[in-house]
Structure formats: C-alpha cells, structure tokens
Amino acid sequence: MENNEGLISRIFVSQIKKQNSMSFSDLGISPFLLKALATQNYTEPYPIQREAIPAILQKKDVLGIAQTGSGKTASYVLPILTNLQGAILSKNRHVNVLVLVPTRELAVQVREVFHSFSLVLPDRIKSMAVFGGVSINPQMMALQGVNVLIATPGRLLELIESNAVHLSDIETLVLDEADKMLNLGFKEEVNSILAMLPKKRQNLLFSATLSKNINDITQLHLRDPLVIKIDDGESDAENIDLITQTAYLVFEDKKGPLLRYLIKSKGMKQVLVFTSSTYKADNVADKLRKNGIEAVAIHSKKSQGARTDALQQFKSGAVTVLVATDLISRGIDIKFLPFVINYELPRSPKDYVHRIGRTGRAESPGEAISFVTHEDVHHFNVIQKKMGKKVEMTEVSGSDIKF
Ligand code: AMP
C-alpha cells in the first residue's frame, strides 16, 4: 500500500500507440459479451480497453487518465461483468460493485452500458443508478438485490443512512471522472464513502487529468496500480482532426439570426449549442422555439426530470437543438453528433476542446462552429494557440443573414 502522493511522484506512464492487431477476443472477456460487442458495433478495442481490460480481469488496481470519448466506460464495465460471472453475488441490500460518478447524467449513462451488456449474460446482474434531485423512496425500494450500483456521492450517503444499501461486500470500487468529482466539491462525501468500504477491494480510478487534488481522496489507497495514460495530445488531436472547425465573427445581437440561418441553411437535424450561463441557455432555446425550431435547454438549474427529458428528446431526434451549459460538455456521450455550436466561447481552452469533442466521436466526422464577437477575438486566438490548430473565421454582417 502507498499513498497517492507517492504514486503520483513515481508514476510510470504507458503511452499507448495504435496497434490494430488486437481483438476483443484476445482480452479474456466473457464470450457472451463478445457477441454483444459485435451487435453494438465495437469492432476492435480502443487503446484504453486493450490495457485496462486484462488488468481488471486479474483484479488489479487501475489508474486511467482518460477523457470521455476514449472508451473508458466499456474498459471497466466489460471486465467487471466478466468477473461477476460465476462469482458469489451479494444478496439483499449488499452490493458487489460501486461506481461513484459526479453527475446524474453520467450515472444514467454508465448504468445504460452496464445494463445493455448484462442483458446477454447467463448470470443475472442487476445494476442501478442512484442520484439526487429526485424522490428517494423509489430508489430505496428498488435497491433490493442490486449487484452493481452507480451513484452520485450525496444521494449514496443518504441511502446508506437510511439503511437502504450496505457497502460491506464491495469488491470493486470505480471512481469515474474523479477530477470532476473533486472540482464539484465532493471531497468530503467521497472520503466518507470510501471509509465505509472493505479495506480489501479492487480500486479503479478514472480521471481526465491527474492533478494534485486527486490526493484529496485520502481514503483511496491504490495498490500497485496499472497506470494508463491516454495522452491528451494523442487522443484529442486524433479526435480534433476528425472535426471541421469554423468560426464566425459576429455582433452579439446577430448571434440569434446567425444560429437560425446556420440550422436552416445546413439542414441541421441534431445540433448541440453551448452557452455560458443558464439564463442564456433558456433564452436561446426560447427564441429558437418562437422561430419554429424545436429546441430544449439543459443546465444545472433544471430539475432532474427536465434534464433527463431534454436529453432523451434530443437523443431520440424529437428536438433538433439542445442548448447546454458546460455542465454537460463532459461526460455525456451522444453517438454520432454531427454539429456543435459555441454560441458563447468557453473561458478555458480545455473546455473548448471538451465541448467540440462532443462531435466527431467514435471515429465519425463532425462540425464545430464558434460564434466570436469582436471582444472575443483575442481569447479565441489563445484557444487556437493552445489547441495547436488555426480555425478559419468568416466575418458576418447583418445583411449576410437572410431568411
Ligand atoms: P466513453 O469514453 O466510455 O464515453 O465512450 C465513448 C463512445 O465510444 C461510446 O459511444 C461508446 O459506445 C463508444 N465505444 C467505446 N469503445 C468502443 C469500441 N471499442 N469500438 C467502437 N465504439 C466504442
């Protein structure tokens, strides 16, 4: 055992290059899952999967430094489900596997991956997502017989206090998007939860960055972990190359008409629009609807029900535009999203990359369009410099935009 400080200072990073020779069947996962992978169009393992799956199958601890979009979810779901086959499963309200996530949306998404793969397995594995913002009673009742629990920290603590769930049988702990969990202020909650887990367990930690604040999770003691780093530069650059980026130099009051013009002239059927504030997100969605374009907003001030509905409507194609704040720029996976529009630029260049990374994912092409005001020009230059890529900018005057 060692503390995380020690771990970070002597970290060995395995840089993973693309090797095309390996297939999922070489990795040791359940043959039932292999069939499911084929039907879900997972043709070959992504780099993080090639590294993490064999280690997790051997019950090793893993520290994965990887972004959403790298395939990290399947890299732990597949071996965890394989390990649970034939294992003695916990009963009643004792769960075997705990996945801690920072947001409700990620909880639902990770649960979907567990659920879809567990459907093909002979041993029934029950998975469930719990999160705050919705009534606790139905969750308390449904927790009976759950084997894999995906939870946000606050709600999990409430459920533990109500004796609705017990953590004494946990064999594997996953901390997904650990950096985000800490950024959102969940340090105390995470440490309290970890202190309740059996000391002997497998730990899988995934984080987009390996910042020093990972050390704030004092209750996490990784045991000789396999450290996998999907290099930012490598994965993002690969992804960014798939994305066509353009920018429009536009006055603030012309952004609304420009957005409508682009949606119509490019025949956009599904577009994710980013704003910087919740107020603006609502405002942009309202204006689009008034102009006959189906749009919904998603942000932290919406109720959980409204957030789930908005995402569902967008994913199903019922609405054309999802207007979002940075709350969902990370962690939410929407397959084959063709367009992302930055109605307002994000403050940090990193967030810019995260935002535009919602398109051009899983090796499908996408287009990212940024609205840049005259005041934003300097900031946009900084973003381009950090990203190492120049984005062509077209100046828009009011008379260019016609309806
Ligand atoms: P994640 O990083 O876990 O959010 O996954 C990103 C996206 O990649 C999801 O839509 C996955 O379904 C997809 N995906 C993950 N692994 C593979 C794979 N080996 N082949 C094809 N798609 C994958």
Side-chain angles (χ1 to χ4, degrees), residues 163-178:
N163 270 327
V165 65
H166 304 291
L167 304 184
S168 53
D169 286 355
I170 296 286
E171 288 160 33
T172 301
L173 165 78
V174 183
L175 286 180
D176 201 347
E177 298 201 353

Side-chain angles (χ1 to χ4, degrees), residues 96-113:
N96 296 88
V97 175
L98 174 65
V99 184
L100 283 181
V101 293
T103 62
R104 304 147 185 197
E105 283 78 10
L106 187 61
V108 170
Q109 192 172 294
V110 169
R111 196 268 165 174
E112 267 171 25
V113 180

Side-chain angles (χ1 to χ4, degrees), residues 24 41-42 44 46 49 68-73 333 335 361:
F24 276 110
N41 292 325
Y42 283 48
E44 62 177 51
Y46 285 173
Q49 295 160 356
T68 296
S70 57
K72 69 179 165 57
T73 317
D333 174 48
K335 273 194 186 156
R361 308 190 64 207

